Structures are given as structure tokens and as C-alpha cells.
Amino acid sequence: MQIILEGVDASGKSTLAKALVSELSGYTYYPSEGPEKYEGEIIERLKRYETEHNPLAVYDRHPIISHPIYSRTNLWMSDIPQSVRREFYERPDRLLVYCLPTDRGFELHEEVEGVDTAEHLAMVKKEYPRLLADYNEWAFRRAHMIYRCGQDFDATVKRITRAVR
């Protein structure tokens, strides 16, 4: 079973992912790789995720989910074919967890070296309310669970762990 943690920047995804991997034997943590590096790279990344990654995975973001949301603010980004997105959502071996940030939002963001470019961070800061609204809309339609950053962390880890065992 794959656990995919999604949400806008500074919503507790990385912290939750690391806690889950420490609780779940055999699971591998895959951190976010950030925005698309060049046109077409996102498709290459998706193929790599399907062929090279451990099926027992905890993802801090998955491009099928985050890429369409972030690409609304950056029009040069590649499209992911609808058939690829549909196949992703139809698979029963994925638990989609929406991580909702605190009211302090982006000010709690911790920069990730090699992923967060100055340009990307400026865009996220400027577009944070829109990104949050887009993620909320996604979660309403697709998420299996919601974790509010700062809520009972240990209980959340246990709830997710029970769901995948």
C-alpha cells in the first residue's frame, strides 16, 4: 500500500511521512522532488515512480496530485495525460492523506535544499491562498483522510498505520 501525503507547503507532510516510515516496517520515504525541472520531466518522474519505487511507500507529495495544482500558477509546465491520472486514482492500493496547514501557513515553511528555488518560493508565497483553495477542493473530492497540522500527531500516525495494515 502506498501512502501519499498531499497539501500545500508547510502543512506537516514531511514530519508525518518520517513518523510513518519509522512505524511501518518495510516502508520507504520518498520526499518531494519539487516542481518540474524541464518540460517533460514530470512524465519521466511518473514512469520512474511506477518502475523503480518500493510499492510500500510513503510519499511527501505525488506529482499526479501536486503537479496539476501547482501548474495552474506556472503555465509552461507539462500536462499529465488524463488517462494516466484516471489510472492513478482507480488503483485501490493508495491511501491519500490531505495535510492541512495551521493558520500560520507559509511562514512555517522550511526550505528544502535542492528542491526549493528562490523563484518557486516566491511563487508559493504569492499564490499561497490560491494553492490552499485548490488543495482543499482536491481533498474534498479525493482524499481518504485529513490531517490538520498540529492536531493529535500520535493519534494520526496510529490511524494511518491501522489503515494500511
Side-chain angles (χ1 to χ4, degrees):
M1 167 91 47
Q2 295 178 347
I3 302 168
I4 300 169
L5 307 176
E6 275 297 336
V8 73
D9 301 66
S11 58
K13 297 177 304 296
S14 299
T15 304
L16 184 55
K18 291 171 188 171
L20 289 166
V21 168
S22 72
E23 288 289 319
L24 293 165
S25 178
Y27 273 74
T28 302
Y29 168 57
Y30 294 102
S32 173
E33 294 183 45
E36 185 174 31
K37 311 289 188 264
Y38 51 86
E39 191 169 345
E41 184 268 338
I42 206 72
I43 302 301
E44 295 170 9
R45 190 184 306 179
L46 289 170
K47 288 177 184 173
R48 186 169 29 85
Y49 279 26
E50 287 302 313
T51 59
E52 298 176 15
H53 284 192
N54 181 357
L56 298 177
V58 178
Y59 287 98
D60 174 348
R61 286 214 179 108
H62 194 289
I64 288 282
I65 300 166
S66 59
H67 186 75
I69 290 172
Y70 281 83
S71 67
R72 293 177 191 165
T73 63
N74 192 342
L75 298 178
W76 72 264
M77 294 173 108
S78 303
D79 285 332
I80 298 172
Q82 181 65 31
S83 61
V84 174
R85 288 185 280 165
R86 185 174 36 256
E87 182 180 315
F88 173 86
Y89 284 113
E90 288 174 353
R91 285 189 41 186
D93 63 338
R94 293 188 167 119
L95 179 66
L96 307 177
V97 180
Y98 176 47
C99 298
L100 188 62
T102 68
D103 294 336
R104 291 179 58 196
F106 189 68
E107 75 179 68
L108 297 176
H109 180 68
E110 295 178 12
E111 188 172 336
V112 179
E113 189 175 328
V115 174
D116 288 331
T117 64
E119 177 184 57
H120 176 72
L121 291 174
M123 180 281 297
V124 171
K125 187 174 183 177
K126 177 182 173 202
E127 299 289 341
Y128 198 83
R130 178 181 177 178
L131 293 168
L132 183 58
D134 288 348
Y135 263 117
N136 286 339
E137 181 183 322
W138 169 83
F140 181 74
R141 292 180 296 131
R142 301 285 191 174
H144 301 122
M145 291 184 183
I146 296 176
Y147 164 65
R148 170 100 185 185
C149 188
Q151 79 182 41
D152 190 342
F153 186 79
D154 292 334
T156 300
V157 170
K158 286 178 184 171
R159 189 173 71 161
I160 293 170
T161 300
R162 279 193 306 265
V164 299
R165 285 195 172 144

